[in-house]
Amino acid sequence: MATIYIDNTPYEVKAGKNLLEACLTLGKDLPYFCWHPAMGSIGACRQCAVKVYRDENDTKGKLFMSCMEQVREGMRISIADLEAKEFRAHVIGWLMTNHPHDCAVCDEGGACHLQDMTVMTGHNYREYRFDKRTYINQYLGPFLNHEMNRCIQCYRCVRYYKDYAGGKDLDVFAAHNHLYFGRAEDGVLESEFSGNLAEVCPTGVFTDKTLKQHYTRKWDLTMAPSVCHHCSLGCNTTAGERYGTIRSITNRYNGEVNGYFLCDRGRFGYEFLNSAGRVRKPLVRSQLPEATDKYTALKTAASVIKVGRAIGIGSPRASLESNYVLKKLVGEDNFHHGVSDTDHIMVDMALSILRHGSARTPSLREVEKADAVFILGEDLTNTAPMLALAVRQSVRQQPLLEQVSTANIPVWQDAAVRELVQTEKGPLYIAHYTPTKLDELATQTFLDTPEAISRLGFAVANLIHPESPEVRGMTAEDLALAQQIADSLMAANNPLIISGASSGSDRVLKAAANIANALCAREKAAGISLVVPECNSMGLALLGGHKLESAFEAVLNGYADTVIILENDLYRLAGAGAVNQFLDSCKQVIVLDHLHNATTEKADILFPAAPFSEADGTLVNNEGRAQRFFQVHPTQEEIQESWHWLAELGTIMAEEQISNWHGYDDIVKAIAKETPELKGIGKVAPSSEFRITGQKIPRAPHRFSGRTAIVANVHVSEPKPSEDPDSPLSYTMEGYRGQPPSAAIPFFWAPGWNSVQATNKYQQEVGGHLKGGDPGVRLIAPDSTTHFSTAVPPKFVPLEGHLFMLPLHHTFGSEELSSHSPSVRERIPGPYVAVNAGDALRMKLEEGQLLSFSIEGHVYQLPLTTSRSVPSGTAGLPLGLPGVQFADLPAWANLNRDITWKKQPQTTF
C-alpha cells in the first residue's frame, strides 16, 4: 500500500496502480474516455488530467494524465485545481467539435458515458460554430448499428476488437482528427464478441441494432439480474423490459466470471423471448382451447398422473428448482435426464472428475492468469466463447512475467507493453479434429481423431508422472510433441487443462483428467476446466437421474404410460424414429415449455412455462458455481415458472412435501436439505424476505416514466403494482436506493454515472470484485484424489464404406434458444457435412454435391464441404443447425454408395 494526498487529504491506495484507477477506487469523480479497466491505458484522450506536485512545498505543480501516472508513496495531486479543471473542460470541447450533439435521437442517450463526462467537466455550451466533419456509416451486420459522426477518437473500439478479442476486420483509418473506425468495406463483423463494442464505446458510434428495433431509454427499462442461458459458463447479464417485451441484454459485471464482456450469442440471443412461437396459454387437446384455463389444465393433468404410471424427463436448460420439483413429483426412480445418452455419460464423467481429482476448476478470471494451456477436444470459440476470450488473455501471461516485469513497465501501460512484447506468446497447445479460431495463438496444434487426441493426452500425462499409463505405438513426431507439451506445463506456475463434452469422447476427458492429476502430483497448482453442453447441465447432473434411453424403455416395456417433459424438445436429443415411437406409446404426454416445437406438438396437455426473463431460478455452471436469475417483469397468470406449475400439480395431488411448500424459498430449502452437494444454494442470493431499511430493491430506475400511460388503454388510474413474493425485488421504482447485495443488483447506476461505466462505483477496487463479493456460490471442490485412468484407446482405424462422424459446433445455430432470435438467425450457416478432401476425391465428390449416408437407420443427404484438416476416415456433422437431423455423435455413418476405401495417413501439425 501507498499513502497519497489528493487535494491535501491522505488516502491509502494500492501501490503499482495507475492514478486514475486509484482515484476511481476511492470514489472520486474524474473524467476519462480512452482508459478501460480491462484494457489498460494508452493516454489517447487527455481527459483525465490532474495536477501533480513534487512535494508539500510545491504550489505550482504540473499537469499529468492520471491514467499514465503510476501511484507512488507520498504522491501529492489535485483533482479540484482550477488549471486542471479548465484543461479537462477544454479537452472535451475539442473532442466535441465534430460531434453532432444528437442526444435526443441517439440510441445511447441516457446511458452515455460521453454525456456523463461532459456534465462532469462542466462543458455546457457549444463553442464551435463551423461546419462539422461528416462520414458515411457502414453496414456491420445484424447486431450493431454504426454512426461514425459521433466518434471522439478514443481508440477503445479497435483496442478491444483487435488487441483484446483478436478480431481482424475492424480497424482505424486515416490520421489526426479525421480518423475512421470501421471495416475496410461494408460487411458483417466476424468476431463472436463484436456486441461488446456497444458497451466499450463511450459514445453512440456502435449501438445495439436489436434494441433499435424496439428502442427504449435505459431509465424506462424494468431490469433484473440474470444469467445467460446459451452455454455452460454462466455469464451474468442484465435483462431490460418495457411493455411486456425484453428489449435488451447487457453485461452484468461479475469479477470471477464474465467481467466486463459477453459473447454475441449471449447478448443477442434473447429475442426468442418475444417470439410469435411462444406458448402463452394452457392446452388440453381433448378440450376446445377456449374451454381450457389454468385450473382446468391443472386438474386434468393431476387426474392423469394419479391414475397413470408417470415418469419425468428433466432439462439442462431448466432451473435447478424446476428439475427438482419434477423429480419429487414423479419419484427419484422415475426421473430421467433430458439429454442425449452421450451427453449424459460425458457430463456425469465431467462431474466425477471435478469431484474426485486433485485439480481445481478455475473461474474465467483465473483462466486469464494461466501461463500454459493445453486444450483437448474443444473448439472453445463455438462451445464456450467467453472461455476462448479468457484463453486469448492467458497467452500474454508468460511474456508479461518474463519481459514486461524485467523492463519495469506496469502491466496497465498497454501501448508500451504491446510494443515490447510484439508477437511473443505463452505456451498454448490445441488438440482437436478441426481447426479453431484460437489456432492462430497456439504454440502447436494437433489435428487428428478423438482417439489420437486422447492418446496424445495420455502420453503427456505419462511424461509428467510415470503412474499414468504409457501409450504404446506413438510415432516419434507425436512423442516429441507430447514431450514439448509436458515440459511447458511443468515449467508453468499456473498450468491449465481444458477439455469437455463437445467431442463426445470419454477417453479425451479421461486423458485431460490424467494430465491435471499428474501435474498436481508433481506439486503444480494445475487447473482443469471442463465445458458441458448447456446452462444447467452440471446442476442436472448434481440432482441425479436416469438416462433418456431408460425412459424410452420404461414406456415401451409397459412400466410407464404417462410422461412429463420439462422444457425440452426430445427431437434434439434422440432420433426422430425413436422419439415418435416413445411419444406414440405414451397414453398421456404432458409438456411444460415456453416455445412451440416438435415435442409440444405431440403434447396431450401443454403448460406455458416462463422463460428466464419471467422466472426465478438457479443455474449451476461448468465450474459448479450456483447463480440466481430473477424474474424481470410480471406476467399474466397463465404463464409461470415450471416449478410453479409442478408444485401446484403436487398440491392438487396431495403430495405431502410439495403441499407444505409456500413459495420459492421453501423449494430452495428442500433442495439444500435433501442434496448435500447443493446445500450452498440458499446462500446464492438473498431470500424473498430480505429488506434494506424495510424496503425492497427496485427493478426500475428512479427516473422511470410513463407508468400510468402504459396501462392507459385499460384504465386511466394507475393500478397497484404487481407484487413479487419470490424475491427481494419490487416491480416499481420505489424502494432502497443504495447498493444492494451483489447477486441482486438490477442495474448499475450512480449519481453522475448513467452509463455502464457506473460499475466502478460498485467494485471494491476498479476492475476487481464487487462489494460484498461476486455473485455465485461454488458447490464443487476436488477431494485431492490422485487417480489415473488406464483407458488408453487403440489407434483409430477407418472402416471401409463408412465415415466416423464427429460433432461440429457453431456459435450461431448449435444452441437451441438463440437460434430463434432473428438477428442470430442471419448468422447461422446452412446445413453441410465436412469431409476430408482426399476422401472426397476418392469418392468422386466435389464441393457442394450431396453426400448420402445413414446413421442408426436415419438417412442424411447434405451438401459436402471439403476440408484438408478433417482426419481421413472421419467427417464432421454440425449439431443443432436447422435442416440437420439429430444424431448422437460420434457415430459410424454408413455411406449409401459403392466406395473403394483406402486408409490415409493422419496429419499432425
Side-chain angles (χ1 to χ4, degrees), residues 552-571:
F552 289 5
E553 291 174 353
V555 170
L556 296 177
N557 294 329
Y559 298 116
D561 55 20
T562 299
V563 63
I564 305 172
I565 302 171
L566 172 66
E567 299 182 34
N568 229 323
D569 182 4
L570 299 188
Y571 290 90

PDB file of all heavy atoms in Angstrom, residues 552-571:
ATOM      1  N   PHE A 552     -37.357 -44.178 -22.429  1.00  0.00           N
ATOM      2  CA  PHE A 552     -37.969 -44.801 -23.602  1.00  0.00           C
ATOM      3  C   PHE A 552     -38.306 -46.261 -23.321  1.00  0.00           C
ATOM      4  O   PHE A 552     -39.403 -46.748 -23.638  1.00  0.00           O
ATOM      5  CB  PHE A 552     -37.029 -44.709 -24.798  1.00  0.00           C
ATOM      6  CG  PHE A 552     -36.862 -43.321 -25.364  1.00  0.00           C
ATOM      7  CD1 PHE A 552     -37.445 -42.220 -24.765  1.00  0.00           C
ATOM      8  CD2 PHE A 552     -36.115 -43.112 -26.512  1.00  0.00           C
ATOM      9  CE1 PHE A 552     -37.290 -40.943 -25.276  1.00  0.00           C
ATOM     10  CE2 PHE A 552     -35.950 -41.843 -27.041  1.00  0.00           C
ATOM     11  CZ  PHE A 552     -36.539 -40.753 -26.418  1.00  0.00           C
ATOM     12  N   GLU A 553     -37.367 -46.964 -22.685  1.00  0.00           N
ATOM     13  CA  GLU A 553     -37.573 -48.388 -22.397  1.00  0.00           C
ATOM     14  C   GLU A 553     -38.703 -48.610 -21.408  1.00  0.00           C
ATOM     15  O   GLU A 553     -39.482 -49.565 -21.534  1.00  0.00           O
ATOM     16  CB  GLU A 553     -36.276 -48.999 -21.857  1.00  0.00           C
ATOM     17  CG  GLU A 553     -35.170 -49.098 -22.901  1.00  0.00           C
ATOM     18  CD  GLU A 553     -33.856 -49.570 -22.300  1.00  0.00           C
ATOM     19  OE1 GLU A 553     -33.781 -49.689 -21.045  1.00  0.00           O
ATOM     20  OE2 GLU A 553     -32.901 -49.799 -23.063  1.00  0.00           O
ATOM     21  N   ALA A 554     -38.835 -47.705 -20.430  1.00  0.00           N
ATOM     22  CA  ALA A 554     -39.891 -47.847 -19.430  1.00  0.00           C
ATOM     23  C   ALA A 554     -41.263 -47.801 -20.064  1.00  0.00           C
ATOM     24  O   ALA A 554     -42.170 -48.574 -19.702  1.00  0.00           O
ATOM     25  CB  ALA A 554     -39.763 -46.744 -18.371  1.00  0.00           C
ATOM     26  N   VAL A 555     -41.453 -46.940 -21.040  1.00  0.00           N
ATOM     27  CA  VAL A 555     -42.749 -46.833 -21.716  1.00  0.00           C
ATOM     28  C   VAL A 555     -42.945 -47.988 -22.688  1.00  0.00           C
ATOM     29  O   VAL A 555     -44.009 -48.623 -22.716  1.00  0.00           O
ATOM     30  CB  VAL A 555     -42.866 -45.471 -22.434  1.00  0.00           C
ATOM     31  CG1 VAL A 555     -44.099 -45.447 -23.341  1.00  0.00           C
ATOM     32  CG2 VAL A 555     -42.936 -44.341 -21.420  1.00  0.00           C
ATOM     33  N   LEU A 556     -41.926 -48.258 -23.476  1.00  0.00           N
ATOM     34  CA  LEU A 556     -42.062 -49.311 -24.493  1.00  0.00           C
ATOM     35  C   LEU A 556     -42.242 -50.689 -23.864  1.00  0.00           C
ATOM     36  O   LEU A 556     -42.877 -51.568 -24.447  1.00  0.00           O
ATOM     37  CB  LEU A 556     -40.834 -49.309 -25.410  1.00  0.00           C
ATOM     38  CG  LEU A 556     -40.633 -48.039 -26.242  1.00  0.00           C
ATOM     39  CD1 LEU A 556     -39.345 -48.122 -27.046  1.00  0.00           C
ATOM     40  CD2 LEU A 556     -41.817 -47.808 -27.173  1.00  0.00           C
ATOM     41  N   ASN A 557     -41.722 -50.884 -22.640  1.00  0.00           N
ATOM     42  CA  ASN A 557     -41.864 -52.172 -21.955  1.00  0.00           C
ATOM     43  C   ASN A 557     -43.063 -52.211 -21.015  1.00  0.00           C
ATOM     44  O   ASN A 557     -43.247 -53.186 -20.274  1.00  0.00           O
ATOM     45  CB  ASN A 557     -40.592 -52.491 -21.167  1.00  0.00           C
ATOM     46  CG  ASN A 557     -39.397 -52.731 -22.079  1.00  0.00           C
ATOM     47  OD1 ASN A 557     -39.556 -53.209 -23.203  1.00  0.00           O
ATOM     48  ND2 ASN A 557     -38.201 -52.380 -21.617  1.00  0.00           N
ATOM     49  N   GLY A 558     -43.856 -51.146 -20.995  1.00  0.00           N
ATOM     50  CA  GLY A 558     -45.095 -51.148 -20.227  1.00  0.00           C
ATOM     51  C   GLY A 558     -44.969 -50.792 -18.765  1.00  0.00           C
ATOM     52  O   GLY A 558     -45.933 -50.908 -18.014  1.00  0.00           O
ATOM     53  N   TYR A 559     -43.786 -50.300 -18.330  1.00  0.00           N
ATOM     54  CA  TYR A 559     -43.622 -49.924 -16.928  1.00  0.00           C
ATOM     55  C   TYR A 559     -44.183 -48.528 -16.631  1.00  0.00           C
ATOM     56  O   TYR A 559     -44.388 -48.163 -15.479  1.00  0.00           O
ATOM     57  CB  TYR A 559     -42.143 -49.972 -16.534  1.00  0.00           C
ATOM     58  CG  TYR A 559     -41.533 -51.350 -16.647  1.00  0.00           C
ATOM     59  CD1 TYR A 559     -40.505 -51.602 -17.549  1.00  0.00           C
ATOM     60  CD2 TYR A 559     -42.010 -52.413 -15.866  1.00  0.00           C
ATOM     61  CE1 TYR A 559     -39.950 -52.874 -17.671  1.00  0.00           C
ATOM     62  CE2 TYR A 559     -41.449 -53.687 -15.979  1.00  0.00           C
ATOM     63  CZ  TYR A 559     -40.428 -53.910 -16.880  1.00  0.00           C
ATOM     64  OH  TYR A 559     -39.886 -55.155 -17.000  1.00  0.00           O
ATOM     65  N   ALA A 560     -44.383 -47.744 -17.669  1.00  0.00           N
ATOM     66  CA  ALA A 560     -44.937 -46.398 -17.514  1.00  0.00           C
ATOM     67  C   ALA A 560     -45.824 -46.093 -18.709  1.00  0.00           C
ATOM     68  O   ALA A 560     -45.640 -46.657 -19.800  1.00  0.00           O
ATOM     69  CB  ALA A 560     -43.819 -45.366 -17.401  1.00  0.00           C
ATOM     70  N   ASP A 561     -46.795 -45.207 -18.496  1.00  0.00           N
ATOM     71  CA  ASP A 561     -47.679 -44.846 -19.609  1.00  0.00           C
ATOM     72  C   ASP A 561     -47.902 -43.343 -19.739  1.00  0.00           C
ATOM     73  O   ASP A 561     -48.563 -42.876 -20.655  1.00  0.00           O
ATOM     74  CB  ASP A 561     -49.032 -45.558 -19.471  1.00  0.00           C
ATOM     75  CG  ASP A 561     -49.697 -45.297 -18.126  1.00  0.00           C
ATOM     76  OD1 ASP A 561     -49.334 -44.313 -17.458  1.00  0.00           O
ATOM     77  OD2 ASP A 561     -50.573 -46.093 -17.731  1.00  0.00           O
ATOM     78  N   THR A 562     -47.357 -42.573 -18.793  1.00  0.00           N
ATOM     79  CA  THR A 562     -47.508 -41.113 -18.814  1.00  0.00           C
ATOM     80  C   THR A 562     -46.134 -40.473 -18.645  1.00  0.00           C
ATOM     81  O   THR A 562     -45.334 -40.930 -17.825  1.00  0.00           O
ATOM     82  CB  THR A 562     -48.438 -40.648 -17.678  1.00  0.00           C
ATOM     83  OG1 THR A 562     -49.731 -41.238 -17.865  1.00  0.00           O
ATOM     84  CG2 THR A 562     -48.573 -39.124 -17.673  1.00  0.00           C
ATOM     85  N   VAL A 563     -45.862 -39.440 -19.435  1.00  0.00           N
ATOM     86  CA  VAL A 563     -44.575 -38.760 -19.336  1.00  0.00           C
ATOM     87  C   VAL A 563     -44.798 -37.260 -19.154  1.00  0.00           C
ATOM     88  O   VAL A 563     -45.687 -36.675 -19.768  1.00  0.00           O
ATOM     89  CB  VAL A 563     -43.698 -39.028 -20.585  1.00  0.00           C
ATOM     90  CG1 VAL A 563     -44.345 -38.481 -21.852  1.00  0.00           C
ATOM     91  CG2 VAL A 563     -42.297 -38.433 -20.413  1.00  0.00           C
ATOM     92  N   ILE A 564     -44.001 -36.678 -18.265  1.00  0.00           N
ATOM     93  CA  ILE A 564     -43.988 -35.222 -18.076  1.00  0.00           C
ATOM     94  C   ILE A 564     -42.638 -34.726 -18.597  1.00  0.00           C
ATOM     95  O   ILE A 564     -41.591 -35.115 -18.077  1.00  0.00           O
ATOM     96  CB  ILE A 564     -44.147 -34.840 -16.592  1.00  0.00           C
ATOM     97  CG1 ILE A 564     -45.409 -35.484 -16.007  1.00  0.00           C
ATOM     98  CG2 ILE A 564     -44.200 -33.326 -16.435  1.00  0.00           C
ATOM     99  CD1 ILE A 564     -45.530 -35.317 -14.501  1.00  0.00           C
ATOM    100  N   ILE A 565     -42.684 -33.903 -19.623  1.00  0.00           N
ATOM    101  CA  ILE A 565     -41.462 -33.420 -20.276  1.00  0.00           C
ATOM    102  C   ILE A 565     -41.255 -31.959 -19.900  1.00  0.00           C
ATOM    103  O   ILE A 565     -42.106 -31.113 -20.177  1.00  0.00           O
ATOM    104  CB  ILE A 565     -41.559 -33.584 -21.802  1.00  0.00           C
ATOM    105  CG1 ILE A 565     -41.802 -35.051 -22.176  1.00  0.00           C
ATOM    106  CG2 ILE A 565     -40.277 -33.077 -22.479  1.00  0.00           C
ATOM    107  CD1 ILE A 565     -42.116 -35.274 -23.637  1.00  0.00           C
ATOM    108  N   LEU A 566     -40.127 -31.685 -19.288  1.00  0.00           N
ATOM    109  CA  LEU A 566     -39.825 -30.348 -18.771  1.00  0.00           C
ATOM    110  C   LEU A 566     -38.915 -29.587 -19.729  1.00  0.00           C
ATOM    111  O   LEU A 566     -37.757 -29.965 -19.918  1.00  0.00           O
ATOM    112  CB  LEU A 566     -39.160 -30.471 -17.395  1.00  0.00           C
ATOM    113  CG  LEU A 566     -38.596 -29.197 -16.770  1.00  0.00           C
ATOM    114  CD1 LEU A 566     -39.703 -28.210 -16.445  1.00  0.00           C
ATOM    115  CD2 LEU A 566     -37.799 -29.534 -15.511  1.00  0.00           C
ATOM    116  N   GLU A 567     -39.430 -28.547 -20.339  1.00  0.00           N
ATOM    117  CA  GLU A 567     -38.630 -27.603 -21.136  1.00  0.00           C
ATOM    118  C   GLU A 567     -37.598 -28.312 -22.007  1.00  0.00           C
ATOM    119  O   GLU A 567     -36.396 -28.067 -21.892  1.00  0.00           O
ATOM    120  CB  GLU A 567     -37.964 -26.573 -20.217  1.00  0.00           C
ATOM    121  CG  GLU A 567     -38.961 -25.732 -19.440  1.00  0.00           C
ATOM    122  CD  GLU A 567     -38.311 -24.675 -18.569  1.00  0.00           C
ATOM    123  OE1 GLU A 567     -37.264 -24.141 -18.972  1.00  0.00           O
ATOM    124  OE2 GLU A 567     -38.859 -24.366 -17.484  1.00  0.00           O
ATOM    125  N   ASN A 568     -38.074 -29.154 -22.883  1.00  0.00           N
ATOM    126  CA  ASN A 568     -37.175 -29.964 -23.683  1.00  0.00           C
ATOM    127  C   ASN A 568     -37.835 -30.347 -25.001  1.00  0.00           C
ATOM    128  O   ASN A 568     -39.017 -30.700 -25.022  1.00  0.00           O
ATOM    129  CB  ASN A 568     -36.815 -31.252 -22.930  1.00  0.00           C
ATOM    130  CG  ASN A 568     -35.322 -31.506 -22.913  1.00  0.00           C
ATOM    131  OD1 ASN A 568     -34.638 -31.224 -23.894  1.00  0.00           O
ATOM    132  ND2 ASN A 568     -34.815 -32.023 -21.812  1.00  0.00           N
ATOM    133  N   ASP A 569     -37.077 -30.287 -26.067  1.00  0.00           N
ATOM    134  CA  ASP A 569     -37.519 -30.814 -27.352  1.00  0.00           C
ATOM    135  C   ASP A 569     -36.789 -32.133 -27.571  1.00  0.00           C
ATOM    136  O   ASP A 569     -35.594 -32.154 -27.880  1.00  0.00           O
ATOM    137  CB  ASP A 569     -37.202 -29.827 -28.470  1.00  0.00           C
ATOM    138  CG  ASP A 569     -37.693 -30.315 -29.833  1.00  0.00           C
ATOM    139  OD1 ASP A 569     -38.340 -31.381 -29.885  1.00  0.00           O
ATOM    140  OD2 ASP A 569     -37.423 -29.624 -30.839  1.00  0.00           O
ATOM    141  N   LEU A 570     -37.484 -33.227 -27.385  1.00  0.00           N
ATOM    142  CA  LEU A 570     -36.845 -34.540 -27.443  1.00  0.00           C
ATOM    143  C   LEU A 570     -36.240 -34.830 -28.815  1.00  0.00           C
ATOM    144  O   LEU A 570     -35.326 -35.662 -28.930  1.00  0.00           O
ATOM    145  CB  LEU A 570     -37.851 -35.638 -27.086  1.00  0.00           C
ATOM    146  CG  LEU A 570     -38.469 -35.570 -25.682  1.00  0.00           C
ATOM    147  CD1 LEU A 570     -39.281 -36.838 -25.410  1.00  0.00           C
ATOM    148  CD2 LEU A 570     -37.396 -35.409 -24.609  1.00  0.00           C
ATOM    149  N   TYR A 571     -36.740 -34.159 -29.842  1.00  0.00           N
ATOM    150  CA  TYR A 571     -36.223 -34.407 -31.193  1.00  0.00           C
ATOM    151  C   TYR A 571     -34.816 -33.848 -31.368  1.00  0.00           C
ATOM    152  O   TYR A 571     -34.175 -34.115 -32.376  1.00  0.00           O
ATOM    153  CB  TYR A 571     -37.173 -33.802 -32.226  1.00  0.00           C
ATOM    154  CG  TYR A 571     -38.481 -34.562 -32.315  1.00  0.00           C
ATOM    155  CD1 TYR A 571     -39.566 -34.213 -31.518  1.00  0.00           C
ATOM    156  CD2 TYR A 571     -38.620 -35.650 -33.180  1.00  0.00           C
ATOM    157  CE1 TYR A 571     -40.766 -34.912 -31.581  1.00  0.00           C
ATOM    158  CE2 TYR A 571     -39.819 -36.360 -33.255  1.00  0.00           C
ATOM    159  CZ  TYR A 571     -40.883 -35.983 -32.448  1.00  0.00           C
ATOM    160  OH  TYR A 571     -42.060 -36.701 -32.521  1.00  0.00           O
TER     161      TYR A 571
END
